[in-house]
Amino acid sequence: MAATRTDGDPGLFGPGSVTWQAHGDPMMWVAGVRALYLQALHPRAVRGVMQNSDFRRDAWGRLMRTAGFVGTTTYGTTEAAERAGARVRKIHSMLGATDPDTGERYGVDEPALLLWVHCAEIGSYLHVLRRSGFPLTDAHADRYLAEHRHSARLVGLDPASVPANRAELAAYFARVRPELAAGADAHEVDDFLLRPPTHPLLVPARELLWRRVARLAYDSLPPYAHELYGRSAPPPATVTRRLRATGTLLRLVPARLRWQLPPKHILRAMARLGPGVRPAPYKIGRQAAILDRPGEGAAD
């Protein structure tokens, strides 16, 4: 058995968490694109993005910063996670947006907006991982959502206000659904994700690879999102088959090869805590006996 050190800082979640195992999966990239599609359907939230950045010029940077934040808070030290959270809170505290219809000025760090961004992101991660074949039981899913009250705290939310299980998350989405719409900002996000600017020599790769990822992420959205965007999707069973096929293919790529991509959060965590903490889907099964016991399926 690979060694595990007990003297290193396990970070915000630690190797025993569902988050630690799940966030090492390559389908997180598809899930991240799905989250962007979903987040853009909240007019106040997406307006805050569009009015504070050149989305078309910085969309890749935004996606990578989000991935970096997730990687740091999942696999970094506790200090690194807290620093990342403080940095996000500071940036958000300085930004605002203006409603063009009413002239209202509001901060992008409004709790309701932060909660939408959090739930759309974490909900997308959970949805894509489960639907693509990552072995998460209902108890694991509830535990995962409960764990992410910690990441919600880092961005400025009161953990008690954040959905901590599947029922609460479903209730939240049902409650916020009337506020969603696909305005001009949402359609600009959609257009970018389908046709991101790229070097002419890379256009064939964009058409062959990226558009498949973007379409799969879009197709995995809930039906109401397809209705709002005005573009249909294949039948749910077809989408599920494609998600599973994509997940199977990506998981064939050796993990250590995937983890070599900067900024190497997982490899650094393994160097700090020992090779025994490497995330892997099969380790989820080891936790099932504990997580499925009555009263032990949620984090404090």
Side-chain angles (χ1 to χ4, degrees), residues 219-269:
D219 291 346
S220 69
L221 289 166
Y224 68 76
H226 300 144
E227 294 175 10
L228 291 175
Y229 275 114
R231 286 197 291 117
S232 61
T238 300
V239 177
T240 299
R241 284 196 300 272
R242 290 175 180 172
L243 284 166
R244 285 184 171 270
T246 302
T248 298
L249 180 63
L250 291 179
R251 290 166 192 141
L252 290 176
V253 178
R256 278 195 169 270
L257 180 60
R258 291 189 274 109
W259 297 340
Q260 289 293 335
L261 295 174
K264 304 183 179 181
H265 293 293
I266 294 175
L267 293 180
R268 290 209 301 269

Side-chain angles (χ1 to χ4, degrees), residues 100-293:
D101 296 324
T102 66
E104 176 199 5
R105 183 73 179 171
Y106 59 91
V108 301
D109 60 351
E110 283 187 350
L113 301 185
L114 294 178
L115 184 60
W116 167 253
V117 171
H118 172 84
C119 289
E121 181 179 319
I122 299 304
S124 289
Y125 295 162
L126 185 61
H127 179 88
V128 169
L129 287 174
R130 297 192 81 186
R131 202 170 172 187
S132 65
F134 195 87
L136 292 170
T137 66
D138 289 347
H140 292 131
D142 286 343
R143 179 64 179 252
Y144 177 81
L145 293 171
E147 288 172 358
H148 279 279
R149 289 179 293 180
H150 296 303
S151 59
R153 173 186 61 79
L154 289 181
V155 299
L157 285 164
D158 175 3
S161 70
V162 177
N165 55 51
R166 288 167 299 121
E168 291 179 7
L169 185 64
Y172 168 77
F173 281 126
R175 187 168 67 251
V176 78
R177 168 68 182 86
E179 302 174 29
L180 306 183
D185 289 337
H187 282 293
E188 185 169 348
V189 172
D190 180 27
D191 183 63
F192 171 87
L193 291 174
L194 283 176
R195 288 170 289 274
T198 190
H199 189 281
L201 293 177
L202 296 178
V203 169
R206 182 187 68 181
E207 297 302 304
L208 178 65
L209 300 175
W210 174 255
R211 291 195 71 168
R212 294 189 181 204
V213 170
R215 283 172 176 163
L216 186 58
Y218 176 87
D219 291 346
S220 69
L221 289 166
Y224 68 76
H226 300 144
E227 294 175 10
L228 291 175
Y229 275 114
R231 286 197 291 117
S232 61
T238 300
V239 177
T240 299
R241 284 196 300 272
R242 290 175 180 172
L243 284 166
R244 285 184 171 270
T246 302
T248 298
L249 180 63
L250 291 179
R251 290 166 192 141
L252 290 176
V253 178
R256 278 195 169 270
L257 180 60
R258 291 189 274 109
W259 297 340
Q260 289 293 335
L261 295 174
K264 304 183 179 181
H265 293 293
I266 294 175
L267 293 180
R268 290 209 301 269
M270 291 167 62
R272 184 175 80 247
L273 299 171
V277 303
R278 61 168 299 179
Y282 73 86
K283 293 184 178 181
I284 289 284
R286 293 179 177 177
Q287 299 170 6
I290 296 176
L291 297 180
D292 290 335
R293 291 174 191 162

